[in-house]
Amino acid sequence: MSDGLVIIGGSDAGIMAGLWAKETDPSARVAILVRDGYPNFSICGIPFFVSGETPQWSMLAHRTVDDLTEAGLDVRIDHEVTSIDPLRRVVLVKSTSGDLELGYDQLVIGTGAAPVVPPIPGIDLPGVHVVHTMDDARSLRAAVDDGARRIVLIGAGYIGTEMADALAHRELEVTIVEMAPAVLTTFDPDLGAAIGDRLAERGVRVVCNTTVDRVDDGEDGLVVYGSPDLRVEADVVLVAVGVRPESRLAADAGVTVDGRGAIVVDDRMRTDVDAIWAAGDCVHTHHRLIPDPVYLPLGTTAHKQGRVAGINAVGGDAAYAGSLGTQAVKVLDRVAARTGLRNDEARAAGYDPLSSTVEVDDHKAYYPGATKLTVRITGDGRTGRLLGAQLIGTYGAEVSKRVDIVAAALQADALVSSLCDLDLSYTPPLSSPWDPVQVAAHQWIREHRSADLA
């Protein structure tokens, strides 16, 4: 390599691309250009920094710059790429020491995502925050540390509910506003409502089926208005309605993006422009159960895609196996997790979905501390194929690991009945001879026996 591998972006996908490129070819020259001063920081850890459970922002670094340098990576912080010239194979960079051009042999784009900021009047007022970068996190925590007490959260997805948990941990007055019928909109509404009820029990005001219309300056802070009937005063408004792909650099360089703005890649994370690869929250994602690509900005996905991009960019051979959208979130003392498809998603993908739900003890009731775990299994009514699962339970009930059981079975294209055959661990303090996931599979078979072909 003359100019080597250049990676744009120092978050999950970019860092993974660099580390795996060096592992694949230790002689490779790898430069990572980071727009800010926070390479390899955990965006997923921001709520815990705001809550104070993680006291120092620096603790959110997966690796320090020294760690990355020791791994052989040339990490350049405060280097913002302003454009890509694929014909000359150079990137134009703005840095603290001036503008420069940097050549590349291969380029990985890992620019991630940007927060969606809805076009609401007043959304740009002082006191309105987003939380996506470390600077965002430090700004919000500073506002809380300086005495902000009344917080309005717009959006009740994963980030919104995690932030509601974080701010409730600080004993603040929290209102969370969501357009959908329940919080956690990637879950079935009744399961999301269970998390909303728990937030309400903890003192969080949960307002669903409501659209925020505007944010005004008030006599004592901000005032949030919404339809049909919302007026709430706030010291801080936090917008958490989702993210969009940060793909402008790629699009301007002639790389194809889809209708959502996500960079189009194949299973090797290759774009349609020679020598340019892309990975992470800026790209579309191949889903194992859906024929068309989807947009699934997840840290786990970014790590895997970054690995594939890095290996291939230095001449290796790797392919991305596809995502199932496996996710888990802790909200107060509850955990919600899902993998695969819900009924509505499966129907849209051409399946004939059927679901069954059980409520069962997370471990043997005679051992102290047993709590109820809700498990919903979805399978195809024509073939008996396993399509997905949603779980709600108490923190400590192994909810995330149990959803991983289903994720592993989905990866193997298993039937619902295959869950019953898995040789899972058992000891009374942790489970039962039939794990709760297997109890849910038994229930699905009882209710939909004609559909199961096993």
Side-chain angles (χ1 to χ4, degrees):
M1 285 188 173
S2 57
D3 291 313
L5 170 62
V6 172
I7 299 169
I8 305 173
S11 193
D12 296 337
I15 296 297
M16 284 298 105
L19 290 171
W20 281 95
K22 289 295 293 184
E23 183 160 330
T24 303
D25 180 4
S27 69
R29 294 173 54 207
V30 181
I32 301 181
L33 308 181
V34 186
R35 181 168 54 185
D36 58 20
Y38 307 103
N40 210 199
F41 271 75
S42 174
I43 295 173
C44 297
I46 287 175
F48 315 114
F49 167 63
V50 174
S51 72
E53 294 163 281
T54 299
Q56 301 296 328
W57 63 266
S58 58
M59 297 171 68
L60 297 182
H62 294 304
R63 299 167 187 83
T64 66
V65 173
D66 287 343
D67 293 334
L68 297 170
T69 301
E70 187 175 341
L73 302 178
D74 177 10
V75 180
R76 306 187 189 185
I77 63 173
D78 297 317
H79 276 57
E80 180 180 3
V81 176
T82 56
S83 66
I84 301 166
D85 184 340
L87 295 179
R88 294 194 299 134
R89 292 198 182 183
V90 299
V91 294
L92 278 66
V93 183
K94 180 186 296 182
S95 75
T96 53
S97 58
D99 296 345
L100 62 113
E101 285 190 357
L102 185 63
Y104 65 85
D105 290 313
Q106 301 289 322
L107 181 71
V108 173
I109 300 174
T111 44
V116 172
V117 180
I120 299 169
I123 204 71
D124 56 349
L125 287 171
V128 179
H129 295 250
V130 295
V131 176
H132 189 69
T133 67
M134 283 308 305
D135 282 334
D136 295 336
R138 295 175 72 182
S139 175
L140 177 61
R141 177 151 165 183
V144 173
D145 289 345
D146 288 344
R149 302 296 304 169
R150 302 165 301 170
I151 316 293
V152 172
L153 285 159
I154 302 175
Y158 277 79
I159 296 300
T161 52
E162 282 188 321
M163 291 306 303
D165 178 345
L167 295 164
H169 188 84
R170 299 286 298 265
E171 302 293 335
L172 304 177
E173 299 174 24
V174 181
T175 299
I176 189 166
V177 184
E178 171 56 52
M179 294 176 59
V183 306
L184 288 182
T185 54
T186 61
F187 287 75
D188 288 336
D190 61 322
L191 299 179
I195 299 297
D197 290 345
R198 185 61 184 143
L199 283 165
E201 291 170 4
R202 180 64 174 76
V204 175
R205 181 185 178 193
V206 179
V207 182
C208 293
N209 291 308
T210 298
T211 301
V212 173
D213 297 325
R214 71 182 194 274
V215 181
D216 285 351
D217 268 323
E219 293 183 1
D220 182 27
L222 300 170
V223 184
V224 179
Y225 292 91
S227 300
D229 185 25
L230 176 71
R231 182 188 182 280
V232 57
E233 296 181 349
D235 301 310
V236 164
V237 174
L238 177 58
V239 180
V241 297
V243 298
R244 57 172 177 77
E246 188 68 88
S247 58
R248 178 192 58 80
L249 278 173
D252 288 350
V255 175
T256 297
V257 300
D258 66 16
R260 294 155 297 202
I263 299 171
V264 174
V265 292
D266 63 14
D267 65 351
R268 292 171 60 81
M269 312 315 298
R270 179 170 40 204
T271 74
D272 58 352
V273 173
D274 188 44
I276 298 182
W277 315 75
D281 291 356
C282 59
V283 310
H284 74 193
T285 297
H286 299 277
H287 196 291
R288 292 185 64 87
L289 296 170
I290 301 174
D292 296 323
V294 297
Y295 183 57
L296 275 175
L298 295 169
T300 49
T301 301
H303 275 77
K304 295 179 180 70
Q305 291 176 340
R307 170 185 174 273
V308 171
I311 290 172
N312 292 330
V314 294
D317 184 15
Y320 179 60
S323 176
L324 293 163
T326 308
Q327 307 168 56
V329 60
K330 173 192 167 294
V331 183
L332 303 174
D333 60 349
R334 298 290 191 269
V335 175
R338 62 159 292 181
T339 188
L341 305 177
R342 302 182 318 227
N343 271 18
D344 56 339
E345 295 166 333
R347 192 171 295 110
Y351 297 100
D352 179 24
L354 300 168
S355 292
S356 293
T357 306
V358 297
E359 186 178 83
V360 60
D361 290 330
D362 71 302
H363 62 258
K364 293 302 293 183
Y366 58 73
Y367 186 85
T371 61
K372 293 298 182 183
L373 182 63
T374 300
V375 185
R376 179 165 297 164
I377 292 288
T378 299
D380 183 66
R382 291 187 295 265
T383 65
R385 181 181 181 180
L386 179 65
L387 295 177
Q390 300 170 73
L391 293 82
I392 303 285
T394 303
Y395 180 62
E398 307 288 353
V399 176
S400 66
K401 292 300 113 181
R402 284 178 161 127
V403 84
D404 289 345
I405 295 171
V406 182
L410 287 169
Q411 195 84 2
D413 299 326
L415 301 174
V416 173
S417 59
S418 301
L419 293 173
C420 306
D421 298 327
L422 295 177
D423 186 17
L424 304 178
S425 64
Y426 160 59
T427 184
L430 298 177
S431 188
S432 295
W434 292 110
D435 187 84
V437 167
Q438 296 175 310
V439 174
H442 289 148
Q443 185 64 24
W444 192 94
I445 294 167
R446 290 188 192 98
E447 294 179 5
H448 313 297
R449 186 178 300 276
S450 62
D452 193 86
L453 304 184

